[in-house]
Amino acid sequence: MGILWQQAGVPGRAAVQHTSRLLRFATPQLATGPQVYYAEQGDPCGEPIFLIHPHADSWFSFSRVLTLLPARYHAYALDQRGHGDSERPGC
């Protein structure tokens, strides 16, 4: 079941409803050591799309974009190492 939210409409217009697919989250451990957090959604057999955030950000910067992608894609939004909920690599 997806998340349903409403966007306030302009006076005289009906509210717009958006339904998003459920996001799945995981934190795998990389072979180099740190754990990396990511969100994913869409068809697991679909064409993959990787969304990589800029410096000092997290996967959440793509939270609104994920809801707009067609379900046929398997979208991943990653937290880069040392950002968001991902671990910082050791030096």
Side-chain angles (χ1 to χ4, degrees), residues 40-63:
E40 66 175 304
Q41 80 165 22
D43 181 359
C45 297
E47 185 175 354
I49 296 176
F50 291 90
L51 304 169
I52 309 296
H53 65 79
H55 180 72
D57 210 342
S58 72
W59 78 271
F60 193 73
S61 62
F62 297 107
S63 61

Side-chain angles (χ1 to χ4, degrees), residues 15-31:
V16 178
Q17 290 187 342
H18 298 271
T19 303
S20 68
R21 292 160 298 281
L22 287 177
L23 291 173
R24 297 175 301 274
F25 300 91
T27 310
Q29 180 118 24
L30 298 178

